[in-house]
Amino acid sequence: MATFGNLSDRLAETFKNLRTKGKLSAADVDGTVREIRRALLDADVALEVVKDFTGKVRERALGDEVSKALNPAQQVVQIVNDELITILGGQQRRLEFAKKPPTIIMLAGLQGAGKTTLAGKLAKWLAKDGHTPLLVAADLQRPNAVTQLEVVAKQAGVAVYAPEPGNGVGDPVKVARDGVKYALQKVHDVVIVDTAGRLGVDAELMKQAANIRKAIDPDEVLFVIDAMIGQDAVATAKAFQDGVDFTGVVLTKLDGDARGGAALSVASLTGRPIMFASTGEGLDDFEPFHPDRMAGRILDLGDILTLIEQAQGAFDEDEARKVAEKFATDTFTLDDFLGQMQQLRNMGSIKKMMSMLPGAGAMKQQLENFDEREIVRTEAIIQSMTKLERTTPKLLNGSRRLRIARGSGSSVTEVNQLVQRFEQAAKMMKTVAKGGMPNIPGMGPIPGAGYGGKPKQVAKKKGSKLGNPAKRAAENAAIASGVKPVGETASADAAGSGFGLGSGAQPGKGKAGGPTEEEMAALQKMLGR
């Protein structure tokens, strides 16, 4: 995650120095804690939180759990991970829905924190779970805030209640109260109230937000905070807690490149959990906040669970089963390949997905250089093919590939590379579908691995083994014409006899003792006699 990228790099470098030590001394622990303290302060984590965090890490690192561990370095990483989870809130906190609908959710925060866009993200996320959210435009101060909420609601596919034009016109308290009544009439089970923000904390803002809260009695008050505002995040959070109070925190702009450590301090200093995180500008760039998973990302331990959840949400199980059957029966086509690519793109940014893998920090440069548009170019190439060409790639001769390249705005080389990648992928997946292990390019076959079937018996080539070139050529010619050489017949028919004798058969009679007269004549003719 970009916001905590620098913090992740600093911590990874600190732990790297520990891995070379078989046993940690008190000096090693003190040096590690000192580096952790510097990394946290440089990331804008509040001083009070840093002191408490490093104190607990040092105490545990000098205790028995590290000194008796088989790998002290890994144990220290585990301690830092545990304490990081603690300052992020410990356990995940879910939304609490009202026993009698509608559930009322009020959004509060400074102007520019992203409340209006977040309202649409939250509404879309709730709609996916079967809820019927209603957005209420109670921000009547900021220019065009009402219009923006209407646009966001349309993009999210949810209803919006906006009786006032905004731009300084209307009573936000009345709009919020009427919005709840409207939700009851139209049977919406969730109401999300977007309130006004200011450029800074002031008495007027707090009074208005407090009046709205008093009027609608919300089940949840979410404090929306920009992860990039630095140390001011803590002061703002405390001011809102004193003036309005809130039940949970939402972090926005976690995809930014600023130091976001101050946002990590909010949960620890206010005692309110971080419930959601906004990770991009799209309405789907929104996810519940899991302290343990976020700690894993910061420490470059990966976030496989979130990656699996995203995959489950994007991929159709029935479609995946059909594709597996096609792999097994060797009927996987470029059309199927295109469908898989599109499903992969529906999961979101590939860079974000790869960054959730353990050790992704070591591939930082490769991730930065990865071009997300590669999938779009691949789709363009496949869509430039005819239906027959997609089902039968063997038809793609030179002229067809040139036409496809021109139609997709690519080069013939790129078309060739795509076809080659497709054939390799289909071959590997067919092997896997049959229960074997694929031969991964660059690695060679895996010893002891099955390949989905019995190995084919390769027939040995028949040929003469004579040392004399002339006789060897003559004997090979005889074999090619179907005539058995004398030696071969003798050795096969008179096993145990050193020279092909003793079989009891008369030569020239067509029996086991030797060749027939026709065979002898053919042999004489071949030898030129």
Side-chain angles (χ1 to χ4, degrees), residues 36-155:
I36 294 174
R37 182 186 300 114
R38 289 174 179 171
L40 293 173
L41 290 174
D42 188 53
D44 260 351
V45 179
L47 180 60
E48 182 180 342
V49 176
V50 173
K51 286 182 177 180
D52 184 57
F53 178 83
T54 52
K56 290 179 179 177
V57 169
R58 185 179 188 279
E59 181 181 352
R60 291 182 59 185
L62 291 174
D64 291 340
E65 60 181 309
V66 172
S67 60
K68 295 180 180 179
L70 294 176
N71 192 323
Q74 290 182 355
Q75 196 67 23
V76 171
V77 174
Q78 183 61 47
I79 291 172
V80 174
N81 184 58
D82 293 343
E83 295 302 326
L84 199 53
I85 292 172
T86 301
I87 70 169
L88 289 172
Q91 298 293 325
Q92 182 202 12
R93 190 4 200 112
R94 299 176 179 270
L95 281 175
E96 292 184 359
F97 293 95
K99 293 181 179 179
K100 183 179 178 182
T103 299
I104 304 172
I105 301 174
M106 175 181 168
L107 303 181
L110 295 180
Q111 184 172 312
K115 292 190 304 300
T116 303
T117 304
L118 181 82
K121 292 182 177 182
L122 179 59
K124 187 174 183 179
W125 181 77
L126 289 168
K128 287 181 179 178
D129 279 348
H131 296 283
T132 54
L134 172 71
L135 297 181
V136 177
D139 182 358
L140 306 180
Q141 276 71 34
R142 184 169 61 87
N144 296 319
V146 175
T147 304
Q148 182 188 355
L149 187 66
E150 290 174 336
V151 171
V152 169
K154 185 177 180 180
Q155 292 174 343

Side-chain angles (χ1 to χ4, degrees), residues 427-429 431-432 436-440 444-446 450-451:
K427 186 176 180 181
M428 289 174 62
M429 294 309 297
T431 303
V432 173
M437 290 291 292
N439 186 355
I440 301 173
I446 300 175
Y451 286 85

Side-chain angles (χ1 to χ4, degrees), residues 361-376:
M363 303 184 296
K364 199 170 185 179
Q365 190 63 39
Q366 291 90 327
L367 290 176
E368 288 297 326
N369 294 333
F370 178 76
D371 188 0
E372 298 270 1
R373 294 171 296 179
E374 185 65 31
I375 293 181
V376 179

